[in-house]
Amino acid sequence: TNTGVHSVGDALELSSIGHWGGSLELIEEQTFSGVNSVEFTNIKENVYDVHLIQVSNFTQNGGDNFGMRWLLSNDGGSTYETSNYQMAYFEIAPNGSSSENRSTSRAHFQNTIVTLDRDTSPRSVGGGYYYMYNAGNSSKYTFQTNQTSSGVGAVIGFSLGGAVYRVAETINAFKFDDGSSVYSLYGTIKLFGVKQ
């Protein structure tokens, strides 16, 4: 009889075919070098309520202490929303100082991976992950939580926070960019759907 209890083998088999809750599907991976923006226009918002975005080996050219911004789109990336964002995060900088940043009126989600110019020696790199919720639900706000780190040599900075886009609508694309077309971005971003 079926008792409703899964064995370890059952869980592994279901996970391997993407039918176990929490399983990840890689939707898209982009490795970029010397670009001003990175867009994801097929996020499978009608399939997944939760997305995981992983950023790795991020660095940039153009100046010191810079982090990407993150914009959402409701029209497949034809345009991007530039208002109605709120955010808060706590940051410990590579020099050991700490700060709390928050705003109820932002033009974008703040990507809190902050690095020095890639020409600085030793080179500064960063990475982290973001969970995005409700992107495909037209009756709920889209929000995200994040944890990131960056470093210069052996000195590491850390950030933890979250944000919300305070408009209930379907979000079907997003992009990371520098906000000014001055900085050149380098790194890898992976977009996953999280099985419920």
Side-chain angles (χ1 to χ4, degrees), residues 32-38 58-69 110 113-120 176-186:
F32 45 96
S33 178
V35 302
N36 296 120
S37 66
V38 184
F58 173 69
T59 187
Q60 48 76 32
N61 267 357
D64 289 348
N65 299 317
F66 167 77
M68 295 183 290
R69 66 178 187 166
Q110 178 66 46
I113 304 172
V114 178
T115 66
L116 302 177
D117 192 296
R118 66 185 273 115
D119 292 331
T120 301
F176 290 102
D177 71 12
D178 73 340
S180 65
S181 297
V182 170
Y183 294 86
S184 298
L185 312 178
Y186 303 77

Side-chain angles (χ1 to χ4, degrees), residues 1 8 25 54 58 73-74 77 86 88 95 97 105 127 132-133 140:
T1 61
V8 172
E25 178 196 351
Q54 291 181 341
F58 173 69
S73 173
N74 59 16
Q86 297 183 353
N95 66 7
S97 64
S105 179
M132 180 170 64
Y133 303 89
K140 293 185 177 180

Side-chain angles (χ1 to χ4, degrees), residues 30-63:
Q30 294 192 44
T31 296
F32 45 96
S33 178
V35 302
N36 296 120
S37 66
V38 184
E39 295 186 73
F40 289 83
T41 58
N42 178 20
I43 69 171
K44 297 189 177 182
E45 72 284 351
N46 295 321
V47 178
Y48 296 105
D49 295 326
V50 181
H51 294 79
L52 170 64
I53 297 111
Q54 291 181 341
V55 182
S56 59
N57 297 316
F58 173 69
T59 187
Q60 48 76 32
N61 267 357

Side-chain angles (χ1 to χ4, degrees), residues 38-163:
V38 184
E39 295 186 73
F40 289 83
T41 58
N42 178 20
I43 69 171
K44 297 189 177 182
E45 72 284 351
N46 295 321
V47 178
Y48 296 105
D49 295 326
V50 181
H51 294 79
L52 170 64
I53 297 111
Q54 291 181 341
V55 182
S56 59
N57 297 316
F58 173 69
T59 187
Q60 48 76 32
N61 267 357
D64 289 348
N65 299 317
F66 167 77
M68 295 183 290
R69 66 178 187 166
W70 180 9
L71 295 165
L72 304 178
S73 173
N74 59 16
D75 58 11
S78 295
T79 61
Y80 288 91
E81 301 304 310
T82 57
S83 61
N84 297 306
Y85 298 89
Q86 297 183 353
M87 66 87 184
Y89 64 91
F90 178 77
E91 182 177 53
I92 300 175
N95 66 7
S97 64
S98 64
S99 62
E100 179 181 319
N101 296 280
R102 59 186 181 273
S103 174
T104 58
S105 179
R106 296 283 291 188
H108 52 81
F109 284 157
Q110 178 66 46
N111 178 308
T112 54
I113 304 172
V114 178
T115 66
L116 302 177
D117 192 296
R118 66 185 273 115
D119 292 331
T120 301
S121 182
R123 179 173 292 179
S124 170
V125 295
Y129 64 85
Y130 301 79
Y131 280 97
M132 180 170 64
Y133 303 89
N134 303 326
N137 193 325
S138 62
S139 63
K140 293 185 177 180
Y141 295 161
T142 298
F143 65 98
Q144 59 98 339
T145 59
N146 65 75
Q147 181 172 316
T148 65
S149 63
S150 55
V152 180
V155 183
I156 302 298
F158 173 81
S159 178
L160 178 69

